Amino acid sequence: MTKIGRFLIFLTFILNAVMAMAAGTTVNATVDRNEMRLGDTFTVTVSAVSSEDVDMQEPRVPELDGFELLNTWSSTAVAQKLVPGPGGMQFETQRRKEYSYSLAPKRQGTLSISSFEVVVGGKVFRTQPIVIKVGTGGGAANPRQMPQRPQAPQFPGMNEDPFEAMDRAEEEMFNQLLQQRQRLQQQIRQQQGAGMPDEQFGMGASSAIDNPAFRSLPTNPNDAFFIGVEVDKTEVYEGEQVTVNWYIYTRGQMETLDRLKFPDLRGFWKEIIEEVPSIQFYEQNVGGIPWKKALLASHALFPIKAGTATIDSYKIKSRVRTLSQLGMMSKPYEYTKSSASIPIKVKPLPVEGRPSDFSGAVGQFDVHATIEGQSFPVNQPLSLKVRFEGAGNAKLIDLPAMTLPTGLEQYDTKSDSKFFKNGRSYKEFEMLLIPRQEGDMVFPGLSVSMFDPKSGKYYTKKTEPITLKIVNNPNAPVGSSQRISGAQQPAAAKVVENKLPDVIMAWQPSAQASVMARPWLWIVIYAGIITALLVKSQREFGWGRRRRTLKEQVAKRYKVVDQAFAKDDYRTVGAEMTNIFYMVMGQVAGESGASQKIEDLMTQIPPSLRRDHGDEITKTFEVFQTLSFAPEEMLGGLKEKATVKQNIEQAKRVISELISSKEEK
């Protein structure tokens, strides 16, 4: 590649990056783990996050040399968070679109996944390459790594300002606490409507299992919560659907819910029936004891090979208030629970009696072959569509070999497939065929064999023959077509000699090339790019501006607290004061406030502060946290104006002591 070509590619990359930052859009590719054994699977997620409503096209998947693509799915989410605005706290909307790809390595060693190309809002983005390390199949499994957090694109010379990073971490913590409050309010509304039918709480017929072959239920009424699992079958054939639902049961009041570990589901092809972003409780009586129950997720699983495949555990951490013997809510405690692991016996498909035209379809499917129209010009492509549709995973179906009639050539084949929540799916193959002769042609019926897991036998489906009439094409080159019958052939055909043009021995630059070769033009382009990047960097990273001290940062946030207090907005007061505690404690402890629990930060502050103010810090922090996110009926006198003012003044005194200790270092 010439220097001009490389420079133009670099220029395109820089301009795309600048426009992306200006539009508030980031595109990233992440993996749930990058070290594994041969035979394991992993997921690559390509995501676009934007503050604007932009259109994200499906990413262009690079060459997956050394990997097998097992499955793809996508999801869309819209989130809101409170941010300070000119008129006080206001909501900021953030939109996220994700495309996920389930892959399996084909060989050992260090493999690489090239960049995904994504078009967002008419602009082209490219993700960073991903390195995957694949060990031997017999070695110990590497521990599963937590998914990587999406990172904003970094460019040479652009080091992030720590002050801006801290502000963003604080806003993230505030957003998490706001979501906790929304979940608590939603639970209260759902408890008031308890006893309504399942369909009104997102538990439609698509996810419910009527007669599960395995079901785990809570047995200890003193448990804070319990993770139940239901499976419709525990013994299936290869490729046969297994439906699994995970539920959460509780008798207390859940303030937080963190999904620590999703099931790996190795050995299965997974299709999502339902994944609940916000849990919705309804009441269910288990063994004479009332529980609140909610669906966590519902998946359709298809075992890949014979043997034993295990549906591994779903792990949840939650902060729960349980009901005491006096009928009062106790102090909240954090618990971690896991669902049971369920082994699934997978039987191989029968070898005896397997037809030669077996397509790999396991289920009950119908097959249809269609061609739109009956008359087609010679040498003009026509489209043949073969569609499989029914109960099962049609995505695993392969198109069987076909015998085309003489004079009909196959040019290209593409496919489209989809799995529906009711367990049905389809896969449609579209083939481009080119007729090379005039006359009548008959496309023979297609015979396809499939396996029915209910009967344990193979069955065959056939399509009807299709008659095609190929007519003369007046736009085709002379002599480009032949007639199948009834046409006299010419005595001799004129042979046209294929001769290459003479080799050009001298090169003459074009007018465009001469313009691009002028040095002053490149100087102007470079200067413009550098100037634009410097201006953008100064705005984004605050180069040249004095960094605020911790006391100045807190004073700025106190203004928001005072404004909210004047408006009797005690929720915002509590949230802002909680946020300030995290910020100051994190600075004093030398850590990011949003990355650790308040209890962990307490252990890292100076012993003298912990001894003199530890109890006061803990008590005041819990007051503001309760004021922010606890249900209305639990607040009592905490939301009275005099009490709020007293707690604010007490918090300011202890925060002042913390800041003073930081400045004395």
Side-chain angles (χ1 to χ4, degrees), residues 586-653:
Q587 287 290 302
V588 174
E591 300 288 342
S592 174
S595 64
Q596 294 196 29
K597 302 177 184 177
I598 199 71
E599 294 84 357
D600 296 336
L601 292 174
M602 282 288 295
T603 63
Q604 301 177 42
I605 65 175
S608 58
L609 285 175
R610 191 164 59 247
R611 182 183 62 251
D612 297 338
H613 304 286
D615 292 340
E616 189 177 9
I617 292 172
T618 302
K619 180 180 177 181
T620 310
F621 176 82
E622 289 184 353
V623 166
F624 285 111
Q625 192 176 41
T626 303
L627 193 65
S628 304
F629 309 111
E632 188 78 19
E633 60 271 15
M634 294 180 57
L635 295 178
L638 282 180
K639 61 182 180 180
E640 294 180 0
K641 198 173 186 73
T643 305
V644 174
K645 181 178 181 180
Q646 181 181 355
N647 288 327
I648 291 175
E649 293 174 351
Q650 183 178 359
K652 286 183 177 181
R653 286 196 300 271

Side-chain angles (χ1 to χ4, degrees), residues 236-254:
V236 293
Y237 285 98
E238 294 177 66
E240 183 180 356
Q241 178 174 334
V242 178
T243 303
V244 55
N245 293 346
W246 289 273
Y247 298 92
I248 187 166
Y249 297 79
T250 183
R251 299 192 67 210
Q253 181 174 291
M254 305 183 75

Side-chain angles (χ1 to χ4, degrees), residues 28-31 96 146-152 168-169 172 176 594:
N28 300 279
T30 60
V31 291
R96 185 182 191 90
M146 295 299 291
Q148 301 174 3
R149 295 174 61 88
Q151 298 289 330
R168 189 166 58 254
E172 180 182 353
Q176 294 173 2

